[in-house]
Amino acid sequence: MDKAATEPVRAYLTATGERLRADGCEVRTEDWGGVPVLIGHRGDFRMRWMATKLHLFTVAAPATVVTADALREFSATAMDYVLARKGQLRGFQNGVAVFPALVGTQVEPAASAWAQGGQQVKFAALSRPVAVEARSGTVSAFRGKPVLGFIYAAHLRSKLNAYFPAAGA
């Protein structure tokens, strides 16, 4: 995370907040150690998800350079944040998912590869890290079909595409 975001990074985060609001998310900005972090939340219930409710959080922060280590650390912090807010009853017809996103002016190839490599899983909790290069709008994230949490896969892919659209989309 970086306290001094460039104009393209700020613009991308502002647009992300607008996309979250347009999709019905509660959106706010929190101060995480002097860094403004965009947080969106929505809860969805589906019978086809074995009558569970999924709490989906999007946690996005500015970065100058998105590295694999920074994205891993931010993803772990975002997961801890989400579990502290909505994870107490997870597994009892409740699940949580988070899109931890670092938005920077540069994304290192290792960060892009790690984000695309798969989702991170804890008991009834999923994380799909996102690395964004703000100038080009290039987004790296896992959009595949996982083994664990497969019942939420189409929903998560749809929300990921809505909140972090591919460049030129």
Side-chain angles (χ1 to χ4, degrees):
M1 293 189 312
D2 190 348
K3 294 178 184 181
T6 64
E7 184 53 39
V9 170
R10 281 192 296 275
Y12 191 94
L13 288 168
T14 298
T16 301
E18 291 168 3
R19 289 189 290 269
L20 291 165
R21 280 186 196 86
D23 193 44
C25 293
E26 297 172 21
V27 179
R28 66 185 176 283
T29 301
E30 291 186 8
D31 183 304
W32 287 17
V35 177
V37 176
L38 175 72
I39 299 172
H41 169 254
R42 66 176 290 132
D44 293 294
F45 175 86
R46 302 280 193 279
M47 289 300 291
R48 69 178 176 263
W49 296 340
M50 297 185 284
T52 61
K53 184 171 188 175
L54 180 67
H55 292 279
L56 175 59
F57 286 82
T58 301
V59 182
T64 301
V65 178
V66 180
T67 66
D69 287 343
L71 188 56
R72 272 192 285 275
E73 183 179 322
F74 184 71
S75 296
T77 300
M79 177 64 86
D80 290 345
Y81 173 90
V82 167
L83 293 177
R85 271 130 196 94
K86 292 290 183 181
Q88 300 84 357
L89 299 176
R90 72 186 195 281
F92 184 67
Q93 293 188 281
N94 281 290
V96 295
V98 61
F99 297 141
L102 284 181
V103 180
T105 54
Q106 180 184 350
V107 175
E108 291 185 349
S112 180
W114 187 75
Q116 294 174 27
Q119 64 186 9
Q120 311 304 306
V121 180
K122 289 188 175 187
F123 174 70
L126 307 169
S127 172
R128 290 193 175 190
V130 181
V132 178
E133 197 286 314
R135 285 187 196 121
S136 68
T138 302
V139 177
S140 300
F142 177 71
R143 298 177 195 266
K145 295 180 182 178
V147 174
L148 296 173
F150 68 91
I151 63 172
Y152 304 116
H155 179 72
L156 292 175
R157 203 168 29 258
S158 169
K159 296 304 178 189
L160 187 66
N161 290 337
Y163 305 157
F164 300 99

